Amino acid sequence: MDSPDPDRPATHDLGGNPRFRCTPVEPDDDAPPSAFDKRVDAVRSVLREKGLFTVDEMRFNIEALHETEYFGLTYYEKWLRSVTAVMVRKGVITWEDIK
Amino acid sequence: MAGTPLPESVELLDKLVAALKRRGVLVEEDIVRCQTQAERAQPETGARMVARAWLDPEFRALMLRDGTAAAEAFGVGMKGAPPLGVLEDTDRLHHLVVCTLCSCYPRAVIGYPPHWYKSAAYRARAVREPRAVLAEFGTVLPAGVQVRVVDSTADYRWMVLPTRPAGTEGWSEEQLAAIVTRDCLVGVTLPQAEKRQIAA
C-alpha cells in the first residue's frame, strides 16, 4: 500500500519475504485469544451481520497501515484500527466519539 | 503477534463500543452472542469430519467435493462464511495451508487461528521453505512425499484431510477424531496413532 516502488512487494505481501527468512515459527506461540481479542472479533462479527462491514474493507484498511503499525500492533489491534476507520468513514460514528 | 494490547487500544475499543451502543447500532447482547458463537467453533469439529471421512467413503467424497456441505452435515452454520475446500493427502502428497496475505483460516471448523498461523515468519516461510517450517513443528515427511502449499484467501478457506495412520485399524470414529489435532488440519503435523487419548 505505502510502497512507492512497484517492484517492492506491499507490506502485507509476505509470501517468500526474505526479511523473515531466519525467523523461526514458534509453535509454542499458542496462547488463546485474550478477552480483548475476542471482543474485537465479536464486534467485527456484529457489524458484519448488520451489513456495515465486509471482509474486503477489513483487509483494505489493515493493508493500508504503515509498516510500523503493521508489524508493531497485535493482530486484533490491527482489526480494531480497521473497524474504527471504516465506521468513521461511513459516518456510523464520528472521530469525536473516540477522541 | 501475540501480546498485550496497548492501553490506548483498550481505551479505543471501549470508546468504539460505547459509541456504537449510543448510536443504536448494537447492544451488548449482540457482542456476547457473536463471541459465544466464535468460542463454540473448535478444532474437534474438523477432527470429527476427518474421522468420518476415514470411515465413510461417501462422506469422504462429499467432503472433497463440497467442504461447506460436509461441515453443514456436522451442524456447522456456514452461512456468511467463505466456501471451505478440503485438501486430500496421500502417501505421496502432503498439503500445508498458509495465508500469505493475511490470516484466512477455516474458523467455522477449527476455531480461532493460533498466533503462529498469523505470524510474519509462518506467512513468509511456509511458501519458501515448507519442509524447514514443518521440521520446526517436529514433522519430517518420508522421502518421496511431495509438499503442496496452498494459500488460503479471504474468499476461499482450506483444511487438510490427512492420511489415516497405520495402527488405527478397527478404531471408532471417536477414537480416530481424538488423534486429529488442529495442527493436523492445517498440515503442520500428522496424526499419530500412539498419541490417541481414548482407550481402544
Side-chain angles (χ1 to χ4, degrees):
Chain A
M1 281 302 296
D2 57 352
S3 169
D5 177 358
D7 293 329
R8 192 184 146 209
T11 302
H12 68 278
D13 187 1
L14 286 179
N17 188 322
R19 173 172 166 183
F20 302 98
R21 193 78 197 263
C22 298
T23 310
V25 178
E26 305 281 359
D28 294 338
D29 185 7
D30 209 7
S34 67
F36 171 87
D37 297 346
K38 288 182 175 181
R39 192 161 172 84
V40 170
D41 176 55
V43 169
R44 191 254 335 156
S45 288
V46 174
L47 295 173
R48 189 196 61 153
E49 272 184 4
K50 294 184 185 289
L52 290 169
F53 192 64
T54 68
V55 67
D56 300 307
E57 289 169 327
M58 167 72 101
R59 284 191 55 197
F60 180 82
N61 286 280
I62 289 173
E63 291 163 13
L65 291 173
H66 185 267
E67 201 175 290
T68 314
E69 286 205 310
Y70 191 85
F71 292 115
L73 295 173
T74 69
Y75 183 75
Y76 291 98
E77 283 182 299
K78 289 189 274 190
W79 280 30
L80 175 62
R81 296 292 192 283
S82 179
V83 172
T84 306
V86 174
M87 290 307 105
V88 171
R89 194 166 310 136
K90 290 187 171 176
V92 176
I93 61 167
T94 67
W95 281 124
E96 289 297 310
D97 285 335
I98 49 171
K99 252 192 358 195
Chain B
M1 300 289 270
T4 313
L6 301 165
E8 52 260 46
S9 296
V10 175
E11 200 181 322
L12 175 60
L13 177 58
D14 287 345
K15 285 180 176 172
L16 172 69
V17 170
L20 291 169
K21 286 179 180 171
R22 199 165 55 240
R23 291 174 180 274
V25 177
L26 53 72
V27 292
E28 184 62 27
E29 289 69 34
D30 291 324
I31 302 175
V32 171
R33 178 176 44 80
C34 280
Q35 183 169 330
T36 306
Q37 199 178 334
E39 285 171 340
R40 223 176 11 237
Q42 293 286 331
E44 285 71 22
T45 303
R48 281 166 53 220
M49 290 169 66
V50 167
R52 177 78 53 88
W54 283 344
L55 293 171
D56 177 352
E58 230 172 89
F59 182 77
R60 182 188 193 91
L62 168 69
M63 191 161 152
L64 295 173
R65 190 173 64 243
D66 186 347
T68 302
E72 282 170 343
F74 272 82
V76 179
M78 296 294 283
K79 190 170 158 280
L84 173 68
V86 178
L87 304 159
E88 183 182 30
D89 281 358
T90 69
D91 292 340
R92 312 278 298 170
L93 178 66
H94 177 77
H95 290 92
L96 178 66
V97 179
V98 64
C99 175
T100 61
L101 292 176
C102 39
S103 55
C104 300
Y105 189 79
R107 277 185 49 176
V109 289
I110 316 191
Y112 293 106
H115 292 293
W116 58 258
Y117 185 83
K118 303 175 283 187
S119 71
Y122 184 74
R123 289 165 53 194
R125 294 179 52 227
V127 291
R128 175 67 66 91
E129 42 178 5
R131 285 175 203 271
V133 171
L134 287 172
E136 282 160 37
F137 284 86
T139 301
V140 179
L141 299 172
V145 176
Q146 191 192 341
V147 178
R148 183 180 288 160
V149 182
V150 178
D151 209 347
S152 273
T153 70
D155 302 316
Y156 213 94
R157 306 295 160 89
W158 296 102
M159 67 171 266
V160 176
L161 171 55
T163 53
R164 181 174 170 176
T168 60
E169 296 74 16
W171 285 23
S172 69
E173 188 172 304
E174 198 186 6
Q175 289 168 333
L176 289 168
I179 60 167
V180 181
T181 65
R182 175 199 69 202
D183 291 0
C184 298
L185 300 168
V186 179
V188 291
T189 59
L190 302 171
Q192 306 289 336
E194 58 271 24
K195 276 194 189 162
R196 79 198 148 103
Q197 290 150 358
I198 297 172

